[in-house]
Amino acid sequence: MRVEIQGARKRFGHVVALRGVDVYIPAGGRVALVGPNGSGKSTLIRTLLGLIDYQGSVLLDGRSPYDDRVELASKLAYVPQVAPALSATVDEVVRLISATRALDPEEIARVAALFELDLALAGAQPFKNLSGGMKQKLLLSAAFAARPRLLVLDEPTASLDVRAREQFFSLCNQLDAEVTVLLCSHRVEELRHLATRVIALEDGRVSFDGPAEQYLQHAAAAVVVAHV
Ligand SMILES: Nc1ncnc2c1ncn2[C@@H]1O[C@H](COP(=O)(O)OP(=O)(O)O)[C@@H](O)[C@H]1O
Ligand SMILES: [Mg+2]
Protein backbone atom coordinates (compact mmCIF):
# COMPACT_ATOMS: atom_id res chain seq x y z
CA MET A 1 0.00 0.00 0.00
CA ARG A 2 1.26 3.47 -0.97
CA VAL A 3 1.33 6.16 1.72
CA GLU A 4 1.28 9.86 0.73
CA ILE A 5 1.26 12.50 3.43
CA GLN A 6 1.46 16.18 2.53
CA GLY A 7 1.48 19.05 4.98
CA ALA A 8 -0.10 17.04 7.81
CA ARG A 9 -0.83 19.24 10.81
CA LYS A 10 -2.47 18.35 14.09
CA ARG A 11 -3.14 20.50 17.08
CA PHE A 12 -4.51 19.43 20.47
CA GLY A 13 -5.70 22.69 22.08
CA HIS A 14 -2.57 24.80 22.10
CA VAL A 15 -0.20 21.83 21.71
CA VAL A 16 0.91 21.46 18.09
CA ALA A 17 1.68 17.76 17.62
CA LEU A 18 2.35 17.79 13.84
CA ARG A 19 3.71 20.94 12.20
CA GLY A 20 3.51 20.07 8.51
CA VAL A 21 4.74 16.54 7.87
CA ASP A 22 5.48 15.30 4.34
CA VAL A 23 6.09 11.59 3.88
CA TYR A 24 5.92 9.41 0.79
CA ILE A 25 6.26 5.65 1.18
CA PRO A 26 5.89 3.45 -1.89
CA ALA A 27 4.09 0.10 -1.61
CA GLY A 28 6.40 -2.37 0.09
CA GLY A 29 8.31 0.27 2.06
CA ARG A 30 9.77 -0.92 5.36
CA VAL A 31 10.05 2.18 7.49
CA ALA A 32 11.00 2.82 11.09
CA LEU A 33 9.49 5.89 12.69
CA VAL A 34 11.72 7.18 15.46
CA GLY A 35 11.98 10.28 17.63
CA PRO A 36 11.90 11.37 21.26
CA ASN A 37 8.79 11.13 23.44
CA GLY A 38 6.26 13.71 22.43
CA SER A 39 7.74 14.23 18.95
CA GLY A 40 4.46 13.22 17.25
CA LYS A 41 4.97 9.55 16.30
CA SER A 42 1.71 8.26 17.76
CA THR A 43 -0.19 11.23 16.39
CA LEU A 44 1.18 10.52 12.92
CA ILE A 45 0.19 6.84 13.24
CA ARG A 46 -3.31 7.72 14.44
CA THR A 47 -3.61 10.14 11.54
CA LEU A 48 -2.58 7.43 9.08
CA LEU A 49 -5.07 4.98 10.53
CA GLY A 50 -7.92 7.48 10.24
CA LEU A 51 -8.42 7.54 14.00
CA ILE A 52 -8.18 11.32 14.31
CA ASP A 53 -9.02 14.32 12.18
CA TYR A 54 -6.12 16.42 10.85
CA GLN A 55 -5.23 19.20 8.43
CA GLY A 56 -3.36 18.46 5.23
CA SER A 57 -3.54 15.53 2.88
CA VAL A 58 -3.15 11.87 3.85
CA LEU A 59 -3.77 9.21 1.22
CA LEU A 60 -3.44 5.43 1.36
CA ASP A 61 -3.46 4.03 -2.17
CA GLY A 62 -5.12 7.33 -3.11
CA ARG A 63 -7.87 7.20 -0.47
CA SER A 64 -8.34 9.16 2.73
CA PRO A 65 -8.05 7.02 5.88
CA TYR A 66 -10.44 9.39 7.65
CA ASP A 67 -13.17 9.67 5.00
CA ASP A 68 -12.84 6.15 3.55
CA ARG A 69 -12.16 4.41 6.83
CA VAL A 70 -14.65 1.60 6.27
CA GLU A 71 -13.26 0.70 2.84
CA LEU A 72 -9.66 0.87 4.02
CA ALA A 73 -10.06 -0.82 7.42
CA SER A 74 -9.75 -4.37 6.09
CA LYS A 75 -6.42 -3.49 4.48
CA LEU A 76 -4.83 -2.07 7.64
CA ALA A 77 -3.56 -3.75 10.78
CA TYR A 78 -2.28 -1.97 13.85
CA VAL A 79 -0.66 -3.30 16.99
CA PRO A 80 -0.51 -0.65 19.72
CA GLN A 81 2.37 -0.38 22.13
CA VAL A 82 0.09 -1.00 25.10
CA ALA A 83 -2.66 -3.59 24.63
CA PRO A 84 -6.12 -2.48 25.79
CA ALA A 85 -7.21 -3.96 29.15
CA LEU A 86 -10.11 -6.02 27.84
CA SER A 87 -12.20 -8.01 30.32
CA ALA A 88 -13.40 -10.32 27.55
CA THR A 89 -11.81 -13.76 27.41
CA VAL A 90 -9.12 -14.63 24.90
CA ASP A 91 -11.67 -16.76 22.99
CA GLU A 92 -14.10 -13.84 22.83
CA VAL A 93 -11.38 -11.45 21.66
CA VAL A 94 -10.29 -13.90 18.95
CA ARG A 95 -13.92 -14.40 17.86
CA LEU A 96 -14.54 -10.65 17.75
CA ILE A 97 -11.40 -9.96 15.70
CA SER A 98 -12.21 -12.87 13.38
CA ALA A 99 -15.77 -11.66 12.85
CA THR A 100 -14.87 -8.01 12.22
CA ARG A 101 -12.02 -8.93 9.86
CA ALA A 102 -13.74 -11.91 8.17
CA LEU A 103 -10.93 -14.18 9.31
CA ASP A 104 -10.84 -17.83 10.24
CA PRO A 105 -10.05 -17.96 14.01
CA GLU A 106 -7.90 -21.00 13.23
CA GLU A 107 -5.62 -18.77 11.22
CA ILE A 108 -5.00 -16.58 14.28
CA ALA A 109 -4.38 -19.73 16.34
CA ARG A 110 -1.92 -20.99 13.72
CA VAL A 111 0.17 -17.80 13.87
CA ALA A 112 -0.09 -17.74 17.68
CA ALA A 113 1.34 -21.28 17.77
CA LEU A 114 4.38 -20.00 15.87
CA PHE A 115 4.82 -17.62 18.81
CA GLU A 116 4.41 -20.61 21.18
CA LEU A 117 1.09 -19.21 22.39
CA ASP A 118 -1.52 -21.97 22.70
CA LEU A 119 -4.89 -20.28 22.21
CA ALA A 120 -6.80 -23.42 23.17
CA LEU A 121 -5.04 -23.33 26.53
CA ALA A 122 -5.39 -19.57 27.09
CA GLY A 123 -8.92 -19.29 25.66
CA ALA A 124 -10.96 -19.03 28.88
CA GLN A 125 -8.73 -16.41 30.52
CA PRO A 126 -9.69 -12.74 30.51
CA PHE A 127 -7.47 -11.03 27.94
CA LYS A 128 -6.35 -8.43 30.51
CA ASN A 129 -4.93 -11.19 32.75
CA LEU A 130 -2.46 -12.36 30.12
CA SER A 131 1.16 -11.33 30.57
CA GLY A 132 2.36 -8.37 28.49
CA GLY A 133 4.23 -10.73 26.19
CA MET A 134 1.21 -12.99 25.66
CA LYS A 135 -1.02 -10.02 24.81
CA GLN A 136 1.56 -8.79 22.35
CA LYS A 137 1.80 -12.25 20.75
CA LEU A 138 -1.98 -12.48 20.39
CA LEU A 139 -2.32 -9.01 18.82
CA LEU A 140 0.62 -9.65 16.48
CA SER A 141 -0.90 -13.02 15.50
CA ALA A 142 -4.19 -11.35 14.63
CA ALA A 143 -2.36 -8.64 12.67
CA PHE A 144 -0.36 -11.12 10.59
CA ALA A 145 -3.35 -13.43 10.12
CA ALA A 146 -5.35 -10.51 8.69
CA ARG A 147 -2.89 -10.23 5.76
CA PRO A 148 -2.95 -6.41 5.76
CA ARG A 149 -1.54 -4.19 3.00
CA LEU A 150 -0.30 -1.73 5.61
CA LEU A 151 1.01 -3.03 8.91
CA VAL A 152 1.56 -0.43 11.64
CA LEU A 153 3.39 -1.58 14.72
CA ASP A 154 4.13 0.51 17.81
CA GLU A 155 7.14 -0.93 19.68
CA PRO A 156 6.09 -4.41 18.56
CA THR A 157 8.74 -6.46 20.33
CA ALA A 158 8.99 -4.54 23.59
CA SER A 159 7.58 -7.40 25.68
CA LEU A 160 8.56 -10.38 23.52
CA ASP A 161 11.10 -12.98 24.61
CA VAL A 162 14.07 -13.75 22.37
CA ARG A 163 12.43 -16.66 20.51
CA ALA A 164 9.22 -14.73 19.87
CA ARG A 165 11.25 -11.77 18.64
CA GLU A 166 13.04 -13.98 16.13
CA GLN A 167 9.71 -15.44 15.03
CA PHE A 168 8.43 -11.90 14.58
CA PHE A 169 11.39 -10.96 12.36
CA SER A 170 10.82 -14.10 10.32
CA LEU A 171 7.08 -13.35 9.84
CA CYS A 172 7.92 -9.81 8.75
CA ASN A 173 10.42 -11.11 6.25
CA GLN A 174 7.81 -13.48 4.82
CA LEU A 175 5.30 -10.69 4.11
CA ASP A 176 4.46 -10.09 0.45
CA ALA A 177 6.81 -7.59 -1.15
CA GLU A 178 4.11 -4.93 -1.61
CA VAL A 179 3.02 -4.93 2.05
CA THR A 180 4.06 -1.64 3.64
CA VAL A 181 5.39 -1.83 7.19
CA LEU A 182 5.67 1.15 9.50
CA LEU A 183 7.11 0.54 12.90
CA CYS A 184 7.79 2.82 15.81
CA SER A 185 10.94 1.63 17.44
CA HIS A 186 13.91 2.64 19.50
CA ARG A 187 15.55 -0.75 19.19
CA VAL A 188 18.53 -0.67 16.93
CA GLU A 189 18.38 -4.40 16.19
CA GLU A 190 14.81 -3.96 14.95
CA LEU A 191 15.88 -1.22 12.60
CA ARG A 192 18.64 -3.43 11.23
CA HIS A 193 16.33 -6.42 10.76
CA LEU A 194 13.24 -4.75 9.44
CA ALA A 195 13.65 -1.22 8.22
CA THR A 196 15.45 -0.08 5.12
CA ARG A 197 14.44 3.50 5.78
CA VAL A 198 14.17 5.65 8.87
CA ILE A 199 11.94 8.68 9.35
CA ALA A 200 12.79 10.66 12.45
CA LEU A 201 10.40 13.17 13.98
CA GLU A 202 11.37 16.00 16.24
CA ASP A 203 8.86 18.44 17.70
CA GLY A 204 6.22 17.56 15.08
CA ARG A 205 8.54 17.83 12.07
CA VAL A 206 10.54 15.35 10.01
CA SER A 207 14.18 15.77 11.10
CA PHE A 208 15.64 12.85 9.11
CA ASP A 209 14.34 10.76 6.24
CA GLY A 210 16.79 8.41 4.63
CA PRO A 211 18.40 4.97 4.51
CA ALA A 212 18.45 3.08 7.82
CA GLU A 213 22.20 2.49 7.40
CA GLN A 214 22.82 6.22 7.26
CA TYR A 215 20.64 6.84 10.30
CA LEU A 216 22.42 4.15 12.30
CA GLN A 217 25.81 5.64 11.42
CA HIS A 218 24.61 9.09 12.51
CA ALA A 219 23.20 7.63 15.73
CA ALA A 220 26.47 5.77 16.43
CA ALA A 221 28.45 8.96 15.77
CA ALA A 222 26.14 10.94 18.07
CA VAL A 223 26.72 8.41 20.87
CA VAL A 224 30.51 8.70 20.40
CA VAL A 225 30.31 12.51 20.53
CA ALA A 226 28.06 12.38 23.61
CA HIS A 227 30.64 10.28 25.43
CA VAL A 228 33.72 12.35 24.57
N1 LIG B 1 -5.11 13.36 22.84
C1 LIG B 1 -4.22 14.31 23.10
N2 LIG B 1 -4.58 15.41 23.77
C2 LIG B 1 -3.70 16.40 24.03
N3 LIG B 1 -2.42 16.36 23.65
C3 LIG B 1 -1.98 15.28 23.00
C4 LIG B 1 -2.85 14.20 22.68
N4 LIG B 1 -2.15 13.25 22.00
C5 LIG B 1 -0.90 13.75 21.90
N5 LIG B 1 -0.79 14.94 22.48
C6 LIG B 1 0.42 15.79 22.54
O1 LIG B 1 0.98 15.86 21.24
C7 LIG B 1 2.40 15.76 21.28
C8 LIG B 1 2.86 14.56 20.47
O2 LIG B 1 2.44 13.37 21.13
P1 LIG B 1 2.62 11.91 20.54
O3 LIG B 1 2.22 11.91 19.12
O4 LIG B 1 1.93 10.97 21.47
O5 LIG B 1 4.21 11.73 20.64
P2 LIG B 1 5.11 10.41 20.62
O6 LIG B 1 4.27 9.26 20.20
O7 LIG B 1 6.21 10.73 19.67
O8 LIG B 1 5.65 10.24 22.01
C9 LIG B 1 2.75 15.69 22.75
O9 LIG B 1 3.04 16.98 23.20
C10 LIG B 1 1.50 15.16 23.39
O10 LIG B 1 1.41 15.57 24.72
MG1 LIG C 1 3.82 7.42 21.13
Side-chain angles (χ1 to χ4, degrees), residues 12 15-17 35-44 46 201:
F12 296 103
V15 176
V16 185
N37 292 335
S39 57
K41 304 181 296 297
S42 295
T43 303
L44 188 59
R46 288 163 68 207
L201 290 183

Side-chain angles (χ1 to χ4, degrees), residues 39-40 49 186 223:
S39 57
L49 295 167
H186 293 285
V223 169

